[in-house]
Amino acid sequence: MMLRKPLLAALVAAAALLGAGYFAFAGDDLSSATLVTATGRHAIEVELATTPDTRATGLMNRESMPAGQGMLFDFDESRPVSMWMKNTLIPLDMLFIDETGTVASIKTNAQPLSLDTIPSGVPVRYVLELNGGAAARYGVAKGDRLEHEIIPSP
């Protein structure tokens, strides 16, 4: 019994440290988005990638990402885009989103560390990266919508 309390305290401290480390790495760029699918409205906290440097780095070298979070890339214009998983350690779902916030194409469970390019297939302005499997959990399909302050309302 005496060992349980210190062990529990150590586990709580470790979890807090890991969480703090993630948020320190993510910075203050987390903002709220809503993914609207046939299964409902799903709140997602997103880190923004809006500069050439943040878009180039993306989620590289991160060992995890909390559930319910993602990274939203804004390419400043609609055009065909390609993503890759170089130095990305976690599997990702990628939602390719047009200028109105409509999901135009989806890539699920992109392979970590792969150098293969993942094309949007159509011109898009945004890409939302989520943990692998999240698109299925949210029931995402082409034509669904992402709402966020940087995406104009239709």
Side-chain angles (χ1 to χ4, degrees), residues 40-99:
R41 297 177 60 82
H42 307 279
I44 300 169
E45 292 298 309
V46 295
E47 181 179 349
L48 298 176
T50 58
T51 67
D53 287 343
T54 58
R55 287 190 299 259
T57 304
L59 292 169
M60 288 181 177
N61 301 310
R62 299 191 193 183
E63 294 181 4
S64 65
M65 182 169 55
Q69 290 189 7
M71 180 171 276
L72 179 58
F73 294 75
D74 181 355
F75 291 94
D76 297 322
E77 64 181 354
S78 291
R79 62 181 173 85
V81 300
S82 291
M83 308 293 280
W84 69 349
M85 297 290 287
K86 180 180 180 181
N87 298 323
T88 305
L89 307 175
I90 54 178
L92 297 173
D93 290 348
M94 297 178 190
L95 309 183
F96 296 93
I97 300 168
D98 71 15
E99 69 280 348

Side-chain angles (χ1 to χ4, degrees), residues 2-13:
M2 296 293 282
L3 195 55
R4 283 188 180 177
K5 285 185 181 179
L7 180 59
L8 181 59
L11 289 173
V12 169

Side-chain angles (χ1 to χ4, degrees), residues 20-36:
Y22 174 81
F23 287 110
F25 195 71
D28 293 328
D29 289 339
L30 291 178
S31 59
S32 297
T34 303
L35 187 56
V36 183

